[in-house]
Amino acid sequence: IIQETSKSRALIRFPRLNFLKLKGVQKLIRICHEDYTVDFPALTVLEIENCPELTGFIHNSMRKDIPTHEVLFNNKVLLPNLEKITISHLRNVKRIWYNQLHTNSLSMLKELTVKECDSLLNIFSPFLLRVFQRLEKLMLTNCASQEEVFQLQMQELDIEETYVIDSQLREMSLICLPKLKHVWTKDHKGKFSFESLQQVRIQQCWSLKALFPFSIAKDLQQLKRLAIASCGLEEIVSKSVEESDLQEIRFAFNQLSFLKLWFLPYLTYFYPA
């Protein structure tokens, strides 16, 4: 379904499509080669599996600063009601989305699963955390290049101190990410909250030295299950360098009922004194 919007542009709409699965399409490079806008107004579930040559939904000729082969979704893809994404075995994708998405696109996303995407470097930049506030479940498995999950700060980004983003994330599983250095980069001004988090599972992440920055740990009042195995962790909660040494450091996992710490040969502190 193609609707012409100008002499050189077109809108492609799938008004009733609510489920889309691409599996084993070995030669597929893009869904749309030209610089079109593609709208999936009813799509709620998207699964992409074993499409090794896929470089992105759309070739966006207007963006010369970011190679098109690195990003799966750009701001020409409209997904206003998408609730679940599962992607696996995409070897050419370094980022899932641009820092700028189309208005309201992906704002309803509740579940994200990523497996075997060996070029992927990170998932969420500060520019996108507000978009994904409704995300409840995150699962990352066997991504060989993944270095960080939530990038909470960038040198060129300056958010007003009153601007706080409350994530609805409840469950997070990070398994076999050998280059993962940070789950959260340190949030110096406390602009991001993950107080809904209830379950965390970390396994085979040998480059990870600390799990929670203090700014995140202090708000984890609903955390119920924490399982960490076969990791290079030296501490569970990293030391707060922003707080004064004279100020009392307090955090409490009041709802924690299950704690598993297994084969952590470098673990020295829960929280360093």
Side-chain angles (χ1 to χ4, degrees):
I1 300 175
I2 301 179
Q3 300 176 355
E4 294 292 338
T5 58
S6 70
K7 293 182 179 179
S8 60
R9 302 281 179 95
L11 172 66
I12 303 175
R13 298 189 79 244
F14 298 87
R16 296 187 178 182
L17 186 68
N18 57 50
F19 178 89
L20 173 60
K21 182 170 185 175
L22 305 174
K23 181 177 180 180
V25 189
Q26 299 291 323
K27 301 291 185 179
L28 181 67
I29 298 175
R30 301 182 185 94
I31 306 301
C32 180
H33 180 69
E34 300 297 331
D35 189 19
Y36 290 179
T37 295
V38 182
D39 187 11
F40 299 90
L43 192 67
T44 59
V45 178
L46 172 63
E47 299 179 4
I48 305 175
E49 179 180 345
N50 195 22
C51 298
E53 300 301 321
L54 186 66
T55 60
F57 259 59
I58 302 176
H59 169 67
N60 191 343
S61 60
M62 300 299 292
R63 293 298 302 266
K64 301 298 184 181
D65 56 324
I66 301 176
T68 57
H69 67 276
E70 293 185 357
V71 183
L72 187 58
F73 302 112
N74 60 27
N75 59 3
K76 294 295 182 179
V77 183
L78 281 66
L79 300 161
N81 289 297
L82 189 64
E83 296 182 358
K84 181 178 179 180
I85 298 177
T86 301
I87 61 175
S88 66
H89 298 86
L90 303 184
R91 65 187 182 192
N92 292 322
V93 175
K94 290 187 177 181
R95 295 165 59 185
I96 300 178
W97 26 60
Y98 282 131
N99 286 333
Q100 183 178 3
L101 297 172
H102 196 280
T103 303
N104 295 326
S105 186
L106 294 166
S107 62
M108 301 301 293
L109 188 66
K110 294 182 178 179
E111 183 174 337
L112 174 63
T113 300
V114 182
K115 302 178 181 178
E116 304 279 354
C117 294
D118 286 343
S119 296
L120 193 64
L121 297 176
N122 65 11
I123 302 292
F124 302 106
S125 73
F127 301 100
L128 295 177
L129 285 173
R130 186 180 185 185
V131 175
F132 297 109
Q133 281 182 267
R134 290 186 175 91
L135 186 70
E136 297 180 357
K137 185 176 182 179
L138 174 64
M139 301 182 66
L140 306 179
T141 305
N142 288 307
C143 296
S145 301
Q146 183 84 39
E147 296 180 353
E148 57 189 18
V149 181
F150 298 102
Q151 186 180 11
L152 301 186
Q153 58 180 341
M154 296 181 70
Q155 291 182 351
E156 66 271 22
L157 181 65
D158 185 18
I159 302 176
E160 295 295 330
E161 293 188 10
T162 56
Y163 187 85
V164 178
I165 296 175
D166 294 314
S167 170
Q168 298 302 306
L169 186 67
R170 301 176 184 271
E171 181 179 348
M172 179 174 65
S173 179
L174 308 177
I175 300 175
C176 198
L177 307 176
K179 292 188 177 181
L180 183 68
K181 296 180 180 179
H182 305 284
V183 179
W184 293 271
T185 56
K186 291 186 177 180
D187 174 21
H188 292 286
K189 297 182 179 180
K191 297 170 182 173
F192 304 94
S193 172
F194 289 81
E195 60 183 16
S196 296
L197 196 59
Q198 297 180 9
Q199 298 184 45
V200 175
R201 180 187 178 193
I202 312 293
Q203 185 173 329
Q204 292 183 307
C205 298
W206 288 102
S207 297
L208 187 64
K209 303 304 180 185
L211 177 53
F212 302 114
F214 174 77
S215 61
I216 299 298
K218 65 182 178 63
D219 293 325
L220 297 180
Q221 301 293 321
Q222 298 186 50
L223 185 65
K224 297 179 180 180
R225 296 178 62 90
L226 176 60
I228 310 172
S230 302
C231 290
L233 282 178
E234 298 175 1
E235 53 197 31
I236 306 299
V237 180
S238 59
K239 187 174 178 62
S240 173
V241 297
E242 295 82 26
E243 302 292 339
S244 170
D245 292 337
L246 299 177
Q247 186 172 356
E248 185 178 11
I249 301 298
R250 298 186 62 184
F251 58 89
F253 300 142
N254 293 327
Q255 300 298 319
L256 190 65
S257 59
F258 179 91
L259 175 63
K260 176 182 177 181
L261 304 177
W262 183 78
F263 192 48
L264 305 175
Y266 307 109
L267 184 64
T268 307
Y269 304 102
F270 195 94
Y271 179 82

